[in-house]
Amino acid sequence: MLETRALNVRFGGMRVVKDVSLTFAAGQVTGLIGPNGAGKTTLFDCVTGFVKAHTGTVLVDGRPLRRLAPHLVAAAGVARTFQTPRMFDSLTTLENLVVAGAPASSLSSFLTTFRARHHRSLVDLLTTRAREQAAFVGLTEVRENRADALSGGQRKLLEIGRALMREPKVLLLDEPVAGVNPVLARQIAATIRQVAERGVAVGVIEHNMEFVMANCTHVYVMAQGSELASGAADDVRRRPEVLEAYLGGHQ
């Protein structure tokens, strides 16, 4: 389980996250919605160590994580994806998965030598896991293709697979179906549900309300850096303050 307690983030004199307390429960897909500029991605950045909180606490299974570097947050069991997938375009799908599972402390040397005979036992282990992960996210048929040859939706799936290579307790996804065709969007949604069924706490930032309504057990709404509302997805979208702030005053 991931918790934020009274989290505040400032950029200069501007508070962009204001006393936000959220819970992402294990085994559930929790949505985080709100208009652009609401502070959603900044919240994920703070949780994962890319941005430092001014005050407040981040906990995973009761363990405080605030102020840890990103690789230490990842080691504590928190993985994430980004709005624009981040991967090695010159590597194959399978190689990207292998590299994602490498120890963060030796990633630089691993990248330099993993195609050679160095780290061979580790590479063999990670390759087996990478094949399993490629199958899980539905990329077996393109696992030997370079990442830059994949479609947008396949790149989203690959990034999810890369995040899962570390077997996280918490998976945070930033707009996983944005710009993805409906067929692959359904595949991504099914994959996310299966991840949650494994007992992982999944948090999703998404503007696609159809996706949120169909897949999120609980939804938080942020506006202007603060939590505006929370509850079951269908209930939240009907609240007047949510319609005003996020949906433009109409359904």
Side-chain angles (χ1 to χ4, degrees):
M1 180 172 70
L2 170 70
E3 297 176 83
T4 71
R5 297 180 182 173
L7 208 60
N8 286 275
V9 178
R10 296 178 183 271
F11 293 151
M14 180 180 298
R15 291 173 68 199
V16 294
V17 174
K18 307 172 185 176
D19 295 317
V20 174
S21 299
L22 310 178
T23 298
F24 297 88
Q28 294 186 9
V29 181
T30 301
L32 182 59
I33 68 173
N36 290 328
K40 306 180 299 296
T41 294
T42 301
L43 180 73
F44 276 15
D45 287 343
C46 182
V47 168
T48 52
F50 291 91
V51 167
K52 301 303 181 186
H54 182 67
T55 58
T57 305
V58 178
L59 305 104
V60 170
D61 293 340
R63 175 187 173 186
L65 299 185
R66 190 170 73 88
R67 299 192 182 280
L68 290 182
H71 72 281
L72 295 176
V73 175
V78 181
R80 71 168 296 181
T81 67
F82 295 84
Q83 292 177 17
T84 301
R86 300 182 179 185
M87 59 196 61
F88 298 98
D89 282 345
S90 63
L91 300 184
T92 67
T93 296
L94 192 67
E95 289 169 341
N96 264 283
L97 292 167
V98 170
V99 170
S105 59
S106 60
L107 180 58
S108 179
S109 64
F110 185 87
L111 277 170
T112 303
T113 62
F114 87 100
R115 279 175 167 164
R117 297 187 63 83
H118 304 284
H119 303 294
R120 182 50 52 197
S121 60
L122 177 58
V123 169
D124 288 345
L125 174 63
L126 291 176
T127 299
T128 297
R129 286 180 49 202
R131 290 193 180 104
E132 294 169 351
Q133 207 59 256
F136 177 72
V137 299
L139 294 178
T140 296
E141 292 185 1
V142 295
R143 71 186 186 189
E144 301 302 331
N145 294 16
R146 280 177 43 135
D148 58 6
L150 301 179
S151 71
Q154 289 171 332
R155 288 172 68 86
K156 296 271 191 177
L157 284 165
L158 175 53
E159 191 171 37
I160 292 172
R162 282 170 50 83
L164 292 175
M165 281 295 292
R166 292 188 175 274
E167 300 180 335
K169 300 176 183 177
V170 178
L171 178 63
L172 302 178
L173 307 172
D174 198 342
E175 298 193 30
V177 298
V180 176
N181 71 61
V183 173
L184 277 175
R186 287 193 292 272
Q187 183 177 339
I188 291 169
T191 300
I192 291 170
R193 292 194 300 271
Q194 289 177 59
V195 172
E197 288 168 3
R198 292 178 168 184
V200 177
V202 181
V204 181
I205 294 172
E206 188 52 68
H207 289 288
N208 184 322
M209 294 303 293
E210 181 179 351
F211 171 91
V212 173
M213 295 302 112
N215 297 285
C216 296
T217 306
H218 191 90
V219 174
Y220 292 99
V221 185
M222 287 184 66
Q224 298 181 342
S226 299
E227 180 190 337
L228 180 66
S230 68
D234 194 55
D235 173 59
V236 164
R237 72 170 180 170
R238 299 176 187 277
R239 296 186 189 181
E241 66 271 27
V242 175
L243 295 174
E244 179 64 29
Y246 182 63
L247 301 177
H250 57 81
Q251 289 181 291

